[in-house]
Amino acid sequence: MPAIRRNIVPLRYSDPSVVAYVRSPADWLVSNCGWIRGREGVLLVDTCGTERDTLDLVKDVRKYSTVEMPLTLVLTHAHGAHHNGAGVALRNGGRILAAESAVSAVRAGPQRYEDTFDCENWGTLEAPKPEAVHAVIKPREVDLGGVTVEVVPFPGVAHTDGDLVAFEPKTGTLFTGDLLSVGSTPMAIHGSIPGWLDALYWLDKTFPTVRTFVPGHGALSHPGSFPVAVLRTYLNWLLDATTPAAPDFAELATIARRRWPTWANPERHIGNLMRAHAEQHGRQLPEKTALRAILDAVGGKIDLDARLGL
């Protein structure tokens, strides 16, 4: 596949300086980040999955600020593509804000998913200092000096059991984490599909003045392109398709590929269908079972070094 590109997209230059850091093309371990700068501090939203990518990110952040500015790292959820670089980003100090349910995973350090990926190029990834990680239990405002960012946890289980978003009201920029993906198949096996649908309604209701969505994966989007409605349609389809007691997951995954032919990582459909079925029929879905189905769909463990040019 093509080399992974990092696209720095300034949404505003002067205070607040708001930048979307869009990494493409969408793939495993390729997630978006971004930052907001005030007069006295910088807020970074998410990190990358490897040391090298996170160091590149921090270098780019500092081009738009100064080394002396305190760094606040907001983690939208505890998946390795987003939080693996937390310790790397805070090597020179700072603090981390994460949803309460995500704190333990963030403190535990990077996730390498050795049953899923082959990768030799993680680099030196370390856990952040435990005392640097703070739980966001209710909405809070982060003052960066003349710039206030709203950090808001979703009160439930959606993409994961610890999702939060960051909103900069002056520019109307909402960093959604993986509550939104654009052009990339969502990953639902660690959360709840009905809960995710509730979260999409919550996004619409809580942030009616959004002008730009920075999704966890994929291109920037705007309300007029209906990214929330597109994802809502997909999640509802998962529930509708898995109403029967014993659906043919492979056949349904094929149908999903046809309905959303341009989405990256279509192997995730089968895991999402299994999650939807388990929730509707009151069953537990072992994570390893869903991951095995996803890996079978893609032909085995994913070689990240080759796939991402690491």
Side-chain angles (χ1 to χ4, degrees):
M1 68 171 289
I4 301 303
R5 300 184 301 272
R6 58 188 203 272
N7 306 304
I8 299 173
V9 185
L11 300 172
R12 179 165 169 156
Y13 288 94
S14 59
D15 291 341
S17 173
V18 182
V19 176
Y21 193 81
V22 182
R23 301 177 69 231
S24 61
D27 207 318
W28 293 94
L29 218 73
V30 180
S31 57
N32 296 332
C33 313
W35 61 87
I36 302 162
R37 188 204 69 214
R39 293 192 299 269
E40 300 170 4
V42 181
L43 184 145
L44 171 62
V45 182
D46 285 341
T47 66
C48 304
T50 68
E51 180 192 29
R52 185 187 72 182
D53 288 341
T54 300
L55 288 174
D56 286 342
L57 167 66
V58 173
K59 180 180 179 181
D60 288 331
V61 170
R62 290 311 185 187
K63 290 178 183 177
Y64 283 75
S65 57
T66 64
V67 174
E68 293 77 19
M69 276 189 167
L71 182 66
T72 296
L73 171 58
V74 171
L75 296 174
T76 60
H77 61 291
H79 276 166
H82 299 262
H83 85 85
N84 269 7
V88 176
L90 265 63
R91 282 174 179 169
N92 293 319
R95 60 173 176 166
I96 296 171
L97 304 180
E100 184 177 24
S101 298
V103 165
S104 60
V106 173
R107 286 177 174 163
Q111 300 168 330
R112 293 176 174 83
Y113 308 103
E114 293 178 353
D115 292 339
T116 305
F117 300 129
D118 284 323
C119 183
E120 299 295 331
N121 290 289
W122 296 106
T124 302
L125 293 168
E126 66 265 27
K129 295 179 180 179
E131 63 271 20
V133 185
H134 304 273
V136 180
I137 301 172
K138 59 183 180 180
R140 64 182 293 176
E141 294 183 344
V142 178
D143 185 359
L144 301 174
V147 176
T148 299
V149 181
E150 300 172 11
V151 179
V152 188
F154 172 64
V157 179
H159 170 63
T160 69
D161 65 351
D163 298 299
L164 58 73
V165 300
F167 182 59
E168 198 295 297
K170 287 186 179 179
T171 60
T173 304
L174 182 65
F175 293 87
T176 69
D178 284 3
L179 290 179
L180 279 184
S181 291
V182 176
S184 179
T185 306
M187 183 78 156
I189 66 173
H190 299 118
S192 165
I193 290 171
W196 202 335
L197 285 165
D198 289 342
L200 296 180
Y201 172 78
W202 172 79
L203 284 179
D204 278 340
K205 181 179 179 181
T206 308
F207 305 100
T209 60
V210 171
R211 296 200 291 275
T212 302
F213 292 101
V214 183
H217 303 268
L220 301 185
S221 188
H222 305 279
S225 62
F226 305 107
V228 173
V230 170
L231 182 53
R232 183 182 290 120
T233 296
Y234 174 69
L235 296 176
N236 276 317
W237 176 82
L238 291 174
L239 294 174
D240 291 342
T242 55
T243 300
D248 185 333
F249 291 120
E251 176 59 27
L252 290 174
T254 299
I255 294 171
R257 287 172 181 258
R258 292 172 183 160
R259 289 195 61 171
W260 293 277
T262 63
W263 283 8
N265 306 120
E267 61 271 14
R268 295 174 182 166
H269 288 306
I270 195 164
N272 295 341
L273 287 159
M274 294 172 73
R275 163 58 63 192
H277 183 263
E279 287 194 271
Q280 292 201 91
H281 296 274
R283 300 174 184 172
Q284 295 295 318
L285 176 65
E287 179 182 319
K288 288 186 176 181
T289 301
L291 283 174
R292 174 49 51 195
I294 290 171
L295 294 180
D296 287 346
V298 81
K301 287 179 70 173
I302 296 167
D303 185 343
L304 285 180
D305 295 312
R307 194 159 178 167
L308 306 183
L310 296 176

